[in-house]
Amino acid sequence: MCHVINFKLCKRRRRGEGEEGEEGEEGEGGGTVEEIETRLTHSSRTAGARLARPCGLGSSSEASSCLQSPGQESDVGPIKMMASVGVRGARKKSLTLRGVDPETCMIVFKNHWAQVVKILEKHEPGRSGAGALSFLSGHTSSPSGSGALRLGPIPADEASAVQNYVEHMLFLLMEEDAGQGGAMGPILEFVVLEGVMERLFLWSLRRQFTEDMKLEQLRMYQMLLSQAKQPLLHHKPVLRPLMMLLASCAGAGTDSGGVVEAELVLLLNQLCVALVKDPSVLELFFHTSEDQGAANFLLFSLLIPYTHRQGSVGQQARDALLLIMSLSSSEPRVAQHIGESTYFCPVLATGLSGLYSSLPARLQVYSEDWHCLDQADWQQVPALVHLLHSLDFCGAVTKVAHPSIRSQLLSYIYNGFLVPVLAPALHKLTVEEVMTTTAYLDLFLRSISEPALLQTFLSFILLHTHDNVHILDTLVSRVNTPFQLGTVSLALFRTLIGLFCEDVMLQLVFRYLIPCSHLSRKQRSSLKQMGLLLQQRRLLPAPHALLVSRADLSVSDSVGYCRGSDFLMDVNYLHYLSDARQAISESHRACRLWSAPYDGINPSCDDNRSETPGGDVDEEEEFEQRVKSDSICSLVTTPPPSALSPTPSSSDTVSTSYQTGRAGSALELEWDDIFEDDDLTSSVMMNSGFANGTVTLGPPPPLPPQHIQEMRRSAIKLVHGSYVEESEFQDDVLVYDLVAQKDTKAAMLERIMAANRLARGSVSHGQQAPTAVTTSTITTMLTQTGRTVMETVNSIMSTRRRGEDGEREERIGSEVCGEEVKRRSEDGEREECRSETGRRREEEEDQKIRPESQGETRGHKVFTNGFDVKNHIISECDDADEDRQSLKKSCNQIDLTTNTTVHHKHTTHQQLLYPTMCLGTNTLPNGHNGSEPHYTTTSQGLPDNKVKNNNGFLSQYQDLMLSLGVEPDCDDIAEDIGTFRRRVRVLRQKLLEEEEGLFQESGCSSSWEDGEEEEEAMEEVEEGEETKGSRRNGVPFTGPFISVLLSRLENILENSIAVNLLVTGILAQLASYPQPLLRAFMLSTDTTHTQPNVRTLYQVLVSVHAQVERYVAARADYPALVTQAWRFLLVKDQDSKFRECLESHSSDIILDPSLPNGSVRNALALPPLGVLPPCPPIPPQAKSRVFAIVLFAEFLKELAAIAQEHSVALDCSPEE
Amino acid sequence: MSANTSRKQRPDNEEQSGHGEQRASPARLSLGKKQLPPIPKNATPITKPASSGTPAQSANGTHASYGPFYLEYSLLAEFTLVIKQKLPGIYVQPSYKSALMWFGVIFIRHGLYQDGVFKFTVYIPDNYPDGECPKLVFDIPVFHPLVDPVSGELDVRRAFTKWRRNHNHIWQVLMYARTIFYKINTTEPLNPEAAVLYEKDVQLFKSKVVDSVKLCNSHLFDHPKIDDPYAISFSPWNPAVHEEAKERMFTCKRRPEDHHKGMQVSGLSWVKPGSTQPFSKDDSPPQS
C-alpha cells in the first residue's frame, strides 16, 4: 500500500494536481467504511512507523525532548500521532478521499468518535464538558492539572487508541469540503454540535497537561488551520478550545527549550494570517475571549512578549504583530483595543531603551579614519543588530498601523527612548561615549526608512532641548571638536544633509539665509525681481578661476605631467559633470515635496523675522553660549614647555601647525572661570575671550549644567593624563585650535585689508618705501579712531570680568592695550602674539617690497595679500621661534606706554625699527574685534566682578561716551547694569556702522575679476551707503553650521583625510541643493556683493588656495609629491571606473577588454588593467597634506561641475 | 502646419527631452554610464580660447583644458534660460555641428506681420560671452526697417551696444527679434526703403509687408538653408507622421503630475507652507 501511495504520489507530482486519471484507482479504493478505515489505518501506521518521529512537523530537537521524558507511556501516542499526522499532512495528496462518498466519511468519523468518547467517558465519569471547562478557567496558568492526579493515570494503550482515532478524525475533517452555499460539511457540523474539539482539549488536560501535550494540541490546530478546506474559526466550538489552549500556553515556560513557544508563535502567526484574510472572524475573536475575562484580544496579548525576541520566533511574532497592525488600520476596534487596553506601544518603545542600554558604551572598532558605523561594523555587535531589528519593527508598525497606534508609538519612542535615554547619552561625560552615541544616532538615522519614525527622530534632534540647548546646536558645535567626535559628528551631518529634509535644512541653513542679510541690498532686490534666475550665470566663471590656479599649481612644476594627463583630467572632469548632474536632479526631485522654493521670495525675507520668535540674534546668542559652555568645544591647552617647540625646524610637524593654530587664537576659546582657581590653570588656560568683546543683553547665563562641567573636568584630565604624550591627541587639539580661529582670523584680516585699502586709497600712487610709514600711520589713525573705542568697550567688559586682580584696577583707566598685551603674555599666550607678529611683519614687508603693486591692481593685490599673509604663517612659523624673545621685550615696552593715542602714533613710527612692536597695538585689537564677528555672546563672570570694578569701569565708560560725543550719564550705570549693556550694545552697533561706512566708502573694489566687474564698481559705492541701512536687520550670519563647515574646510591642510572627505562631501551636497538661496550662497563668486562679515565658500576656497600655494612654494619636494599622488589617484580612479564599465557593459565593443579598441586605449593611456602604478612613495608625515592638496583641487573641479550643471539644469524655475 | 526638424520633431520648449536627443548624437564618444556632452570635436567654429590667446579669456580664468566645457556650458546655460523664458512664438534649436549656431523660427501672431513665420539663424561669437553680441540672420530678408534687405541680418547691435557678459543673454536677443515686429523703429534703418515707407506711406508699407510675409511663408517648406541635422525644416501636415507627435505633445502636459505620484520621492518635509518653522505641519510629531 505504501508503495502504491508513493507511486501515486510520484505520479501526481509528475502530472500536477487533480488529474482525471486517478479516478479509477480511487474509485476502486472508495466505497465501504471498512475499506476507508483500513486505508486510513494502514497508511498512517505504516507511514508513521516507517518515517519515524523527526520527520513531518516535528524537528529533531522536539523529538529528543520528547524522548527525554521517559516513563510516560502516554507520550508515545501523541508523538506517534504527530509523526503520522505530520506525514500525512505533508503528503495528504497521496491519500485522497476524493470520490469517496461524504456520507461514508461521516460514518467513519462518527464511529471513531464513538470509540473515543467511550474511552474519554471512562476516565471522566459524571463530568460534563461545561464542568470541565469551569475547571479549566481557573486553571490556565498551572497546567499540570490536579484533576488528572485525582483520577489516576490513564493506561497507555487507551491513550494511543484515542490518538489514532483522533488522527483519523482530523484527517476526515480537514478533507471535508464545505457544503453547498458555504454551509458546514456534515463532519464539521458534527464537530461543532458535539463539541469534539473541546472534549479533546479537556482530554489532554485530563492526561497530564505537559509541554508535550501542549505541543500536540498546538500542532493539531496548526494543521487544521493550514489544511482545512472550510473555514473552521467561524465556529465557536472550534474557536473556544483553541483560545483556551492559547491561554493555557500563555506563560509557556522555557523549560522545554522554547519548543512550545515556537509552536505557539507559529500558531498565532497562522491565526493572524487567517484573520487578515477574513476579518469577519475578528468579531468572534473578541467575543470569545470576553469569556476569558480581562484579556480581550488574546491573540495580540500573547504576541506582545515576543516583540523583542531574537531569532525566528521573534521574527514570526513580529510578522504576526504586523499583520494585526495592518488589520488595525482598517478595524478601528482593533486599533482602539491595542491603543487603550494593551501595553504594546510602551513595550515597543521601552524595549528600544532596554536594548540601547545593552549597547557597548564605547566602540573598539575605529581606526583613525573611522567615522561611522557601516554594515560591517554593526553586524559585529549583536546588541546593535538586535536594536536595529527592533527599530526596523517600530518603523514597520508606524507604517502599517492605525494612526492612533502610530502616534501613540511615536510618542512613546520620543518620550520613552529619545528624550530619557538618547539625549543624556549624547551628553555623556567622556568624549568617547559621546562619540559612540553620535555614531549610534547616525546609524539609526541611516537605517530608518519610515518617514513618520524618522520625523520623530528628527524632531528630537531639531527641537528637543537638553539643558536648554537644542540637540542640533550641540551636534553642530561638536563638528569643530578635535577628537574623533568631530569626524563622527561630520558623518552624522552628512547623513542629515542627505535626507533632503526641509525641516533639517531649514534649521541648519535656510533660516539664516532667508532673511537675506548675507546679501547686499542690491542683491536682495535683484533676488526679488529675478528670483535668482540670472544669478546662476554668475556661478559659472568662478570655479574656473580657481581651476586655473589649480592647474598652474601643477603646470609650474611638471609640465610633462600636465600634458600627459590632460585627457585623464578631462575625462575625470566629465565624470564630475555627470555626477553633478545626477546629484542635482536627485536633489531637485527630492525637494519637490518641500513647502517653499527658498528663492528669496518665498519664504519672504521680510516677514521671516517677525515670524521667528526670538529671531536670529537670539539663536546666535544661544548658540555661542552653547559653544562656550560646551566643554569639548572650548578645550584649550597650553602645552608644557617641552611640547611647545619640539622641532621648530622641521617643516610640516605638529609644532608648525600648532603655532599657526595659536595665532590670533585664545579669543574664542575658553574655559569658564570656574577653573581659574584650579591647579589646572598652569596648563589649561581659561581664556575669557568670548566675554571680552561682548555685551550681554539678558541676565547672565546660568552655569553650565553639571554634566557639562563634569565633561570638562574629564577632558582636562585627558589633557593632563596619558593623552598628552600622544601626538595624535596633540594633533587633534591643535587642529581644533586652528579650526576655531579661522573665523577670527578672517574677520581680522578683513579689517587689516580694509585698513590697507583705505590707506592706499588716501595716499597717492607710486609712493615709495619711506612713505609707507605715513601710509601706515594714516591707516592706523583711521582705523584706530574706530578701533580704540571698540577696544575700550572690549576692555571694559574684560576688565569687569577679570577685575578680581586688584592691582590691575589702577591701570585700567589708562593703558588698555598694553595691559591687554601684558595679561596675555602672562597668561602664556606668547605663541599667539608671536604668530601675529610674524603676520604683521610679513604684511609690513609686503607693503614695502611691493610698492609698485599699488598701481592698477591695487585692490586686488592687497586683498590677496591679506590671505597670503595669513597663510604664509604656516611656513613662516617654523623659524619664528626666535621671535619670542623680541616679543617679550615688545610686550614690556607696550606695557609701559600709557596713553593710547600717543601709543598709536608711537608704534606706527616704530614700525620700521621694531616690527614686532606694532603687533601689540594694531593686531591685537584687531584680534579682539575679529573674535567677535557676531557680537552677541555673553560674558559669564560678569556679575561677580561688577562691584569691584566700578571705578575703573566708570571712568572708562565715560571716556568712551565722551569719545563718541555723547554725554555720559553716570548715575544709572551702577544701578542698572542692564541699561548699561543695552547702551554698550548700541555703541557697538554704531561703531560697527561707522567702521563699515569707512570700509565701504573707501570705494575699494576688491574684485576678483577686475576686468569684468568694473562696470559694477559704481554700484558698489552706492551699496556702501546702503549697507548701514541694511544692518538694521542684524548682523549677517549664515548660521553656525555653515561657518563650522567653512572653518573646517579652511583647515584642509591640517585635517585628516577622512575629515576632508566628509567636509568636501557635505559641501558638495549642499551645493547640489536646488534652492536658489543656498545655491547662490554656495556657488556665487561674486564677492563684491556679499556683506563684508559674511564668509562665502568662495572666499574660503581662495584662502585655502593661497595657503596651498604658500605651503607648496616653501617646500621644494612638495610639487613632485603632489603630482605623483594626483596622477596615482587619477589613474586609480579611472581604472576603477573602467572596471565598472567593463562589468556593466561587458558586451560593449568599445570597452571590450579582450579586444580593446586601440584608439581608446591609446588615448586613455591607461596601464593594462590590473596593473596600477604603485602608490608613490610619499613620506608618511606628508601624506595627509599631499592628499589634502589633491583633494582640494578635485573638490574645486567638483564644485565647478556642480556650478555648471546648475546653470544648465532646466528644472530649477519654480513655476514648472 | 507643423514645425519639424529633420530629426525627431520636438519643439524646444518641451523640456529636457530635446536635450537628451542632442546628447545622444551618434558620433560622440561613449563613456559607459557617465554620458555627457563632451567637447564637440566636430564642431567647426569653436576655437580653443587659450590658443587664440585673447587676454579676455585668460582673465576669465578659462583654462585651456576646461575652456570647451566652459563654452559649452555657457551656451547650454543660455539655452536653458531661453527655455525658461518661454518666449511666445519663438523656437530655437542649437545646430548639431556647433553649439555656436542656433536655428530658430518665430511666429508672429498679430500686428502688421501677423501670420508671418520667419526662420532665422543665430550666430554666437566663438569667444562668447566676452565678444560681441550674437548675430541674428533671417533666412529670407523680411521687409523691415531693421532687417538688412540683402543679407537678412537683424540689427541687433542697436539694442546691445555693448555685450555685457553677466547682464545680457541670448534670450534677450530673441526677445528683441520678436519685438521689432510689433513695435517698429525706423531710426538708422538697415532697410531705408522700409523705414521711409513706414513713415510716409503706411499703406504701401503694409502691402509690402504682406507680400514679404507671403514670400516667407511660401518658402516655408523649402529645404533648410544650412545643411544640418538639427536645422528646422517644415513639411506639410501629414497625419501619418505628425498625428502621433501631436498626440504626444498634448499628453505631455499631463504627464509631469503622474510622474510625480509614481515616483519614489526621497525628500521629506513637515514644514507647513508659508511657515519657516520645522515640523509646523499639522501632523507634526508627538513630542508630548
Side-chain angles (χ1 to χ4, degrees), chain A residues 537, chain B residues 74-75 78-79 81-82 87 92 99-100 102 122-125 128 134 136 160 163 168-176:
Chain A
R537 268 291 272 107
Chain B
S74 299
L75 292 170
E78 286 293 343
F79 188 65
L81 282 177
V82 169
L87 301 172
V92 284
L100 292 168
W102 292 11
V122 179
Y123 297 95
I124 300 156
Y128 182 85
L136 193 149
F160 305 92
W163 188 259
N168 294 129
H169 299 283
I170 293 177
W171 67 265
Q172 292 164 333
V173 174
L174 300 177
M175 190 70 159
Y176 172 69

mmCIF file of all heavy atoms in Angstrom, chain A residues 537, chain B residues 74-75 78-79 81-82 87 92 99-100 102 122-125 128 134 136 160 163 168-176:
data_model
loop_
_atom_site.group_PDB
_atom_site.id
_atom_site.type_symbol
_atom_site.label_atom_id
_atom_site.label_comp_id
_atom_site.label_asym_id
_atom_site.label_seq_id
_atom_site.Cartn_x
_atom_site.Cartn_y
_atom_site.Cartn_z
ATOM 1 N N ARG A 537 24.038 82.623 -13.738
ATOM 2 C CA ARG A 537 25.043 82.876 -14.744
ATOM 3 C C ARG A 537 26.367 83.221 -14.066
ATOM 4 O O ARG A 537 27.426 82.909 -14.561
ATOM 5 C CB ARG A 537 24.612 84.043 -15.626
ATOM 6 C CG ARG A 537 23.866 83.623 -16.819
ATOM 7 C CD ARG A 537 24.764 82.878 -17.822
ATOM 8 N NE ARG A 537 25.405 83.811 -18.741
ATOM 9 C CZ ARG A 537 26.672 84.125 -18.697
ATOM 10 N NH1 ARG A 537 27.429 83.611 -17.780
ATOM 11 N NH2 ARG A 537 27.188 84.939 -19.569
ATOM 12 N N SER B 74 28.341 77.382 -20.960
ATOM 13 C CA SER B 74 27.780 78.726 -21.046
ATOM 14 C C SER B 74 26.634 78.727 -22.033
ATOM 15 O O SER B 74 25.559 79.287 -21.779
ATOM 16 C CB SER B 74 28.842 79.713 -21.532
ATOM 17 O OG SER B 74 29.897 79.758 -20.638
ATOM 18 N N LEU B 75 26.866 78.071 -23.149
ATOM 19 C CA LEU B 75 25.837 78.063 -24.172
ATOM 20 C C LEU B 75 24.642 77.227 -23.738
ATOM 21 O O LEU B 75 23.501 77.612 -23.958
ATOM 22 C CB LEU B 75 26.423 77.524 -25.480
ATOM 23 C CG LEU B 75 27.462 78.460 -26.099
ATOM 24 C CD1 LEU B 75 28.190 77.787 -27.235
ATOM 25 C CD2 LEU B 75 26.785 79.726 -26.589
ATOM 26 N N GLU B 78 22.720 79.271 -21.539
ATOM 27 C CA GLU B 78 21.930 80.236 -22.301
ATOM 28 C C GLU B 78 20.676 79.575 -22.866
ATOM 29 O O GLU B 78 19.584 80.118 -22.809
ATOM 30 C CB GLU B 78 22.765 80.810 -23.449
ATOM 31 C CG GLU B 78 23.821 81.801 -23.010
ATOM 32 C CD GLU B 78 23.199 83.063 -22.454
ATOM 33 O OE1 GLU B 78 22.002 83.300 -22.691
ATOM 34 O OE2 GLU B 78 23.912 83.811 -21.749
ATOM 35 N N PHE B 79 20.900 78.410 -23.384
ATOM 36 C CA PHE B 79 19.777 77.694 -23.974
ATOM 37 C C PHE B 79 18.727 77.385 -22.906
ATOM 38 O O PHE B 79 17.527 77.508 -23.129
ATOM 39 C CB PHE B 79 20.289 76.411 -24.623
ATOM 40 C CG PHE B 79 19.248 75.696 -25.416
ATOM 41 C CD1 PHE B 79 18.714 76.279 -26.546
ATOM 42 C CD2 PHE B 79 18.790 74.458 -25.030
ATOM 43 C CE1 PHE B 79 17.744 75.635 -27.280
ATOM 44 C CE2 PHE B 79 17.815 73.809 -25.754
ATOM 45 C CZ PHE B 79 17.289 74.392 -26.885
ATOM 46 N N LEU B 81 18.186 79.072 -20.273
ATOM 47 C CA LEU B 81 17.474 80.310 -19.959
ATOM 48 C C LEU B 81 16.418 80.610 -21.013
ATOM 49 O O LEU B 81 15.309 81.042 -20.689
ATOM 50 C CB LEU B 81 18.463 81.469 -19.872
ATOM 51 C CG LEU B 81 19.266 81.559 -18.586
ATOM 52 C CD1 LEU B 81 20.247 82.707 -18.655
ATOM 53 C CD2 LEU B 81 18.333 81.738 -17.404
ATOM 54 N N VAL B 82 16.763 80.356 -22.253
ATOM 55 C CA VAL B 82 15.787 80.582 -23.322
ATOM 56 C C VAL B 82 14.545 79.752 -23.055
ATOM 57 O O VAL B 82 13.414 80.237 -23.126
ATOM 58 C CB VAL B 82 16.402 80.215 -24.687
ATOM 59 C CG1 VAL B 82 15.313 80.185 -25.751
ATOM 60 C CG2 VAL B 82 17.486 81.193 -25.062
ATOM 61 N N LEU B 87 9.538 82.195 -24.352
ATOM 62 C CA LEU B 87 9.228 83.320 -25.227
ATOM 63 C C LEU B 87 8.093 82.925 -26.160
ATOM 64 O O LEU B 87 8.157 81.880 -26.803
ATOM 65 C CB LEU B 87 10.465 83.699 -26.043
ATOM 66 C CG LEU B 87 11.683 84.080 -25.214
ATOM 67 C CD1 LEU B 87 12.902 84.241 -26.104
ATOM 68 C CD2 LEU B 87 11.413 85.348 -24.443
ATOM 69 N N VAL B 92 13.912 77.836 -30.769
ATOM 70 C CA VAL B 92 15.286 77.747 -31.244
ATOM 71 C C VAL B 92 15.833 76.359 -30.959
ATOM 72 O O VAL B 92 15.340 75.644 -30.089
ATOM 73 C CB VAL B 92 16.223 78.780 -30.580
ATOM 74 C CG1 VAL B 92 16.011 80.151 -31.141
ATOM 75 C CG2 VAL B 92 16.090 78.742 -29.092
ATOM 76 N N ALA B 99 27.585 74.350 -31.324
ATOM 77 C CA ALA B 99 26.721 74.975 -30.327
ATOM 78 C C ALA B 99 26.660 76.474 -30.523
ATOM 79 O O ALA B 99 25.861 77.161 -29.891
ATOM 80 C CB ALA B 99 27.226 74.651 -28.925
ATOM 81 N N LEU B 100 27.493 76.976 -31.378
ATOM 82 C CA LEU B 100 27.532 78.427 -31.576
ATOM 83 C C LEU B 100 26.545 78.878 -32.647
ATOM 84 O O LEU B 100 26.480 80.061 -32.968
ATOM 85 C CB LEU B 100 28.941 78.857 -31.971
ATOM 86 C CG LEU B 100 29.985 78.693 -30.863
ATOM 87 C CD1 LEU B 100 31.375 78.846 -31.404
ATOM 88 C CD2 LEU B 100 29.724 79.720 -29.769
ATOM 89 N N TRP B 102 22.579 78.610 -33.733
ATOM 90 C CA TRP B 102 21.248 78.156 -33.324
ATOM 91 C C TRP B 102 20.268 78.433 -34.443
ATOM 92 O O TRP B 102 20.241 79.525 -35.008
ATOM 93 C CB TRP B 102 20.776 78.910 -32.070
ATOM 94 C CG TRP B 102 21.549 78.607 -30.828
ATOM 95 C CD1 TRP B 102 22.726 77.923 -30.732
ATOM 96 C CD2 TRP B 102 21.223 79.029 -29.514
ATOM 97 N NE1 TRP B 102 23.143 77.873 -29.448
ATOM 98 C CE2 TRP B 102 22.232 78.548 -28.651
ATOM 99 C CE3 TRP B 102 20.171 79.754 -28.958
ATOM 100 C CZ2 TRP B 102 22.224 78.779 -27.293
ATOM 101 C CZ3 TRP B 102 20.153 79.988 -27.601
ATOM 102 C CH2 TRP B 102 21.175 79.490 -26.768
ATOM 103 N N VAL B 122 20.904 82.112 -35.455
ATOM 104 C CA VAL B 122 21.670 82.943 -34.518
ATOM 105 C C VAL B 122 23.119 82.485 -34.581
ATOM 106 O O VAL B 122 23.401 81.291 -34.472
ATOM 107 C CB VAL B 122 21.137 82.800 -33.074
ATOM 108 C CG1 VAL B 122 21.957 83.645 -32.115
ATOM 109 C CG2 VAL B 122 19.676 83.169 -33.009
ATOM 110 N N TYR B 123 24.006 83.433 -34.779
ATOM 111 C CA TYR B 123 25.430 83.113 -34.776
ATOM 112 C C TYR B 123 26.057 83.706 -33.519
ATOM 113 O O TYR B 123 26.001 84.926 -33.316
ATOM 114 C CB TYR B 123 26.117 83.673 -36.013
ATOM 115 C CG TYR B 123 25.597 83.068 -37.289
ATOM 116 C CD1 TYR B 123 24.586 83.695 -38.017
ATOM 117 C CD2 TYR B 123 26.105 81.865 -37.776
ATOM 118 C CE1 TYR B 123 24.093 83.146 -39.184
ATOM 119 C CE2 TYR B 123 25.623 81.302 -38.953
ATOM 120 C CZ TYR B 123 24.622 81.952 -39.655
ATOM 121 O OH TYR B 123 24.126 81.389 -40.810
ATOM 122 N N ILE B 124 26.612 82.853 -32.735
ATOM 123 C CA ILE B 124 27.197 83.322 -31.470
ATOM 124 C C ILE B 124 28.709 83.411 -31.652
ATOM 125 O O ILE B 124 29.320 82.467 -32.172
ATOM 126 C CB ILE B 124 26.849 82.344 -30.337
ATOM 127 C CG1 ILE B 124 25.333 82.249 -30.197
ATOM 128 C CG2 ILE B 124 27.487 82.767 -29.026
ATOM 129 C CD1 ILE B 124 24.846 80.977 -29.569
ATOM 130 N N PRO B 125 29.289 84.508 -31.267
ATOM 131 C CA PRO B 125 30.743 84.645 -31.442
ATOM 132 C C PRO B 125 31.477 83.583 -30.636
ATOM 133 O O PRO B 125 31.040 83.192 -29.549
ATOM 134 C CB PRO B 125 31.041 86.053 -30.920
ATOM 135 C CG PRO B 125 29.888 86.417 -30.075
ATOM 136 C CD PRO B 125 28.704 85.692 -30.640
ATOM 137 N N TYR B 128 32.384 83.833 -27.005
ATOM 138 C CA TYR B 128 31.258 84.094 -26.122
ATOM 139 C C TYR B 128 31.629 83.716 -24.694
ATOM 140 O O TYR B 128 32.289 82.710 -24.485
ATOM 141 C CB TYR B 128 30.058 83.265 -26.595
ATOM 142 C CG TYR B 128 28.843 83.500 -25.779
ATOM 143 C CD1 TYR B 128 28.000 84.558 -26.051
ATOM 144 C CD2 TYR B 128 28.574 82.686 -24.686
ATOM 145 C CE1 TYR B 128 26.911 84.787 -25.267
ATOM 146 C CE2 TYR B 128 27.487 82.922 -23.898
ATOM 147 C CZ TYR B 128 26.654 83.970 -24.186
ATOM 148 O OH TYR B 128 25.579 84.214 -23.398
ATOM 149 N N PRO B 134 25.594 88.410 -30.260
ATOM 150 C CA PRO B 134 25.328 87.422 -31.310
ATOM 151 C C PRO B 134 24.655 88.078 -32.516
ATOM 152 O O PRO B 134 23.994 89.111 -32.378
ATOM 153 C CB PRO B 134 24.376 86.441 -30.635
ATOM 154 C CG PRO B 134 24.518 86.690 -29.184
ATOM 155 C CD PRO B 134 24.908 88.109 -29.024
ATOM 156 N N LEU B 136 21.878 87.798 -35.586
ATOM 157 C CA LEU B 136 20.649 87.075 -35.893
ATOM 158 C C LEU B 136 20.314 87.360 -37.352
ATOM 159 O O LEU B 136 20.153 88.517 -37.744
ATOM 160 C CB LEU B 136 19.524 87.527 -34.969
ATOM 161 C CG LEU B 136 18.266 86.657 -34.966
ATOM 162 C CD1 LEU B 136 17.596 86.702 -33.606
ATOM 163 C CD2 LEU B 136 17.281 87.079 -36.034
ATOM 164 N N PHE B 160 21.991 96.125 -28.137
ATOM 165 C CA PHE B 160 23.063 95.697 -27.225
ATOM 166 C C PHE B 160 24.358 96.357 -27.666
ATOM 167 O O PHE B 160 25.209 95.729 -28.285
ATOM 168 C CB PHE B 160 23.213 94.177 -27.257
ATOM 169 C CG PHE B 160 21.943 93.446 -26.965
ATOM 170 C CD1 PHE B 160 21.088 93.055 -27.981
ATOM 171 C CD2 PHE B 160 21.583 93.187 -25.655
ATOM 172 C CE1 PHE B 160 19.912 92.402 -27.705
ATOM 173 C CE2 PHE B 160 20.409 92.527 -25.381
ATOM 174 C CZ PHE B 160 19.555 92.127 -26.398
ATOM 175 N N TRP B 163 28.011 94.182 -25.292
ATOM 176 C CA TRP B 163 27.540 92.906 -24.756
ATOM 177 C C TRP B 163 28.168 92.702 -23.381
ATOM 178 O O TRP B 163 29.378 92.562 -23.261
ATOM 179 C CB TRP B 163 27.906 91.766 -25.690
ATOM 180 C CG TRP B 163 27.288 90.461 -25.286
ATOM 181 C CD1 TRP B 163 27.903 89.454 -24.623
ATOM 182 C CD2 TRP B 163 25.959 90.040 -25.511
ATOM 183 N NE1 TRP B 163 27.035 88.427 -24.405
ATOM 184 C CE2 TRP B 163 25.815 88.757 -24.950
ATOM 185 C CE3 TRP B 163 24.844 90.618 -26.138
ATOM 186 C CZ2 TRP B 163 24.628 88.046 -24.992
ATOM 187 C CZ3 TRP B 163 23.676 89.903 -26.171
ATOM 188 C CH2 TRP B 163 23.562 88.627 -25.603
ATOM 189 N N ASN B 168 23.697 90.365 -20.242
ATOM 190 C CA ASN B 168 22.995 90.097 -21.483
ATOM 191 C C ASN B 168 22.947 88.602 -21.754
ATOM 192 O O ASN B 168 23.882 87.867 -21.454
ATOM 193 C CB ASN B 168 23.705 90.807 -22.637
ATOM 194 C CG ASN B 168 23.596 92.318 -22.476
ATOM 195 O OD1 ASN B 168 24.579 93.023 -22.535
ATOM 196 N ND2 ASN B 168 22.383 92.800 -22.228
ATOM 197 N N HIS B 169 21.810 88.235 -22.317
ATOM 198 C CA HIS B 169 21.613 86.827 -22.590
ATOM 199 C C HIS B 169 20.996 86.667 -23.961
ATOM 200 O O HIS B 169 20.385 87.593 -24.498
ATOM 201 C CB HIS B 169 20.709 86.207 -21.532
ATOM 202 C CG HIS B 169 21.285 86.297 -20.158
ATOM 203 N ND1 HIS B 169 22.278 85.465 -19.730
ATOM 204 C CD2 HIS B 169 21.032 87.157 -19.148
ATOM 205 C CE1 HIS B 169 22.600 85.790 -18.486
ATOM 206 N NE2 HIS B 169 21.869 86.817 -18.118
ATOM 207 N N ILE B 170 21.155 85.473 -24.464
ATOM 208 C CA ILE B 170 20.689 85.257 -25.833
ATOM 209 C C ILE B 170 19.172 85.355 -25.913
ATOM 210 O O ILE B 170 18.624 85.790 -26.908
ATOM 211 C CB ILE B 170 21.228 83.910 -26.352
ATOM 212 C CG1 ILE B 170 22.739 84.037 -26.486
ATOM 213 C CG2 ILE B 170 20.597 83.535 -27.668
ATOM 214 C CD1 ILE B 170 23.452 82.793 -26.915
ATOM 215 N N TRP B 171 18.521 84.979 -24.820
ATOM 216 C CA TRP B 171 17.062 85.098 -24.886
ATOM 217 C C TRP B 171 16.638 86.537 -25.098
ATOM 218 O O TRP B 171 15.595 86.818 -25.699
ATOM 219 C CB TRP B 171 16.389 84.506 -23.657
ATOM 220 C CG TRP B 171 16.625 85.216 -22.354
ATOM 221 C CD1 TRP B 171 17.562 84.917 -21.435
ATOM 222 C CD2 TRP B 171 15.878 86.310 -21.828
ATOM 223 N NE1 TRP B 171 17.473 85.760 -20.366
ATOM 224 C CE2 TRP B 171 16.440 86.632 -20.571
ATOM 225 C CE3 TRP B 171 14.783 87.056 -22.278
ATOM 226 C CZ2 TRP B 171 15.954 87.678 -19.775
ATOM 227 C CZ3 TRP B 171 14.297 88.088 -21.489
ATOM 228 C CH2 TRP B 171 14.889 88.390 -20.252
ATOM 229 N N GLN B 172 17.468 87.457 -24.650
ATOM 230 C CA GLN B 172 17.126 88.864 -24.842
ATOM 231 C C GLN B 172 17.204 89.229 -26.330
ATOM 232 O O GLN B 172 16.391 90.014 -26.828
ATOM 233 C CB GLN B 172 18.063 89.743 -24.024
ATOM 234 C CG GLN B 172 17.849 89.582 -22.529
ATOM 235 C CD GLN B 172 19.003 90.131 -21.697
ATOM 236 O OE1 GLN B 172 20.133 90.183 -22.164
ATOM 237 N NE2 GLN B 172 18.701 90.524 -20.469
ATOM 238 N N VAL B 173 18.176 88.624 -26.989
ATOM 239 C CA VAL B 173 18.286 88.849 -28.426
ATOM 240 C C VAL B 173 17.044 88.327 -29.126
ATOM 241 O O VAL B 173 16.468 88.989 -30.001
ATOM 242 C CB VAL B 173 19.553 88.159 -28.975
ATOM 243 C CG1 VAL B 173 19.589 88.261 -30.490
ATOM 244 C CG2 VAL B 173 20.794 88.755 -28.363
ATOM 245 N N LEU B 174 16.631 87.134 -28.723
ATOM 246 C CA LEU B 174 15.446 86.545 -29.339
ATOM 247 C C LEU B 174 14.216 87.392 -29.049
ATOM 248 O O LEU B 174 13.380 87.634 -29.919
ATOM 249 C CB LEU B 174 15.248 85.118 -28.823
ATOM 250 C CG LEU B 174 16.396 84.153 -29.097
ATOM 251 C CD1 LEU B 174 16.119 82.796 -28.477
ATOM 252 C CD2 LEU B 174 16.623 84.019 -30.592
ATOM 253 N N MET B 175 14.157 87.813 -27.825
ATOM 254 C CA MET B 175 13.048 88.672 -27.415
ATOM 255 C C MET B 175 13.019 89.930 -28.276
ATOM 256 O O MET B 175 11.957 90.357 -28.741
ATOM 257 C CB MET B 175 13.272 89.039 -25.944
ATOM 258 C CG MET B 175 12.111 89.725 -25.305
ATOM 259 S SD MET B 175 10.777 88.554 -25.106
ATOM 260 C CE MET B 175 9.862 89.386 -23.837
ATOM 261 N N TYR B 176 14.212 90.440 -28.489
ATOM 262 C CA TYR B 176 14.308 91.660 -29.291
ATOM 263 C C TYR B 176 13.836 91.387 -30.715
ATOM 264 O O TYR B 176 13.111 92.186 -31.304
ATOM 265 C CB TYR B 176 15.762 92.157 -29.270
ATOM 266 C CG TYR B 176 16.028 93.299 -30.198
ATOM 267 C CD1 TYR B 176 15.485 94.558 -29.945
ATOM 268 C CD2 TYR B 176 16.817 93.125 -31.327
ATOM 269 C CE1 TYR B 176 15.726 95.608 -30.798
ATOM 270 C CE2 TYR B 176 17.061 94.164 -32.187
ATOM 271 C CZ TYR B 176 16.510 95.413 -31.928
ATOM 272 O OH TYR B 176 16.742 96.462 -32.774
#
